[in-house]
Amino acid sequence: MIDASLTPFHGGELEVQARAGQFSRGGGIRGFMPDQHRLFFAELPWFFAGILDAQGWPLATVLTGPPGLIESPTPNTLIVRALPSTQDPAAEAFQAGAGIGLLGIQFETRRRNRANGTIAAVGETGFSVAVTQSFGNCAKYIQTRTIEGWTVPGSAEAVEFTRLDAPARQLIAAADTFFVASAAGTDAGAAAGIDMSHRGGRPGFVRIDDDALTVPDFAGNSYFNTLGNLLREPRAALLFVDFRTGTVLQLQGAVEILWNDPEAARLDGAERLWRFHVGRGWRRENALPLRWSAPAYAPTTLQTGLWDQPALASAV
């Protein structure tokens, strides 16, 4: 086993890398944001965030805003001119001193970058982040989309549930993209923190069994940030977005990693599976102002399999 003190990875990430037989030096993981990442975040109309609630459970959310939403005055600072709405279950967690993981995705170019750190301050209209870790990810499984318009988001209260209802199942079943927040746990040392990541596949790649979601783990960048976290701390949060209506589905639950489940062989590209057991969720109708085009699927996405192999519409 590699000494975790000599890498940017914590013990859980190193353990998963070893189990998968895929090792990475993590050369792209820096303790500051390079200029291209700082400029990238400044161009985004939205970004995704992972944070912990008062009980230590991850929450996943998304924030939006006009150009200038994010500014990076220094390589270790992000200033965000937005806060979660009061209907967002993550709103109360945005407090000074809280760990946070940020994910920016530019769907038009299929670029994505991550910035993890600590909330330095919270004001009436936004917050700042002290960045301690910054890195980019490859374009695998990112579907191309373009913004078709902006609208006024709804103000309806979140619908809270402990079992997946019909609208939640429909949104998940149609999803080609979701986001996952995970935490490294208290024993991860200097590499501890919150992480926000992306998963993509063909619609139907997330299987629904009662209140459990089974997710294929496709080949990625060999960092295994998410699985490394889940190995040590199985609590996680998922975020699904309806790109047509702005509806957001936020889930909390516990994960089990299925290392050698024969069902993985049913899906082309799946190296292993993980199963998310829903414990709690919120659905917010028309929560986001952005409206996106239908997707053009990434080449890597089109090479992946599905549980029931339905036909894929609008593949290119």
Side-chain angles (χ1 to χ4, degrees), residues 184-215:
T186 58
D187 62 346
I194 317 301
D195 184 74
M196 190 69 176
S197 190
H198 155 277
R199 292 293 186 272
R202 301 199 287 164
F205 80 110
V206 178
R207 195 179 76 193
I208 307 170
D209 298 299
D210 294 326
D211 293 301
L213 306 179
T214 301
V215 180

Side-chain angles (χ1 to χ4, degrees), residues 99-111:
I100 190 169
L102 305 180
L103 170 68
I105 289 191
Q106 198 172 62
F107 285 105
E108 296 88 343
T109 61
R110 297 177 57 225
R111 289 180 62 196

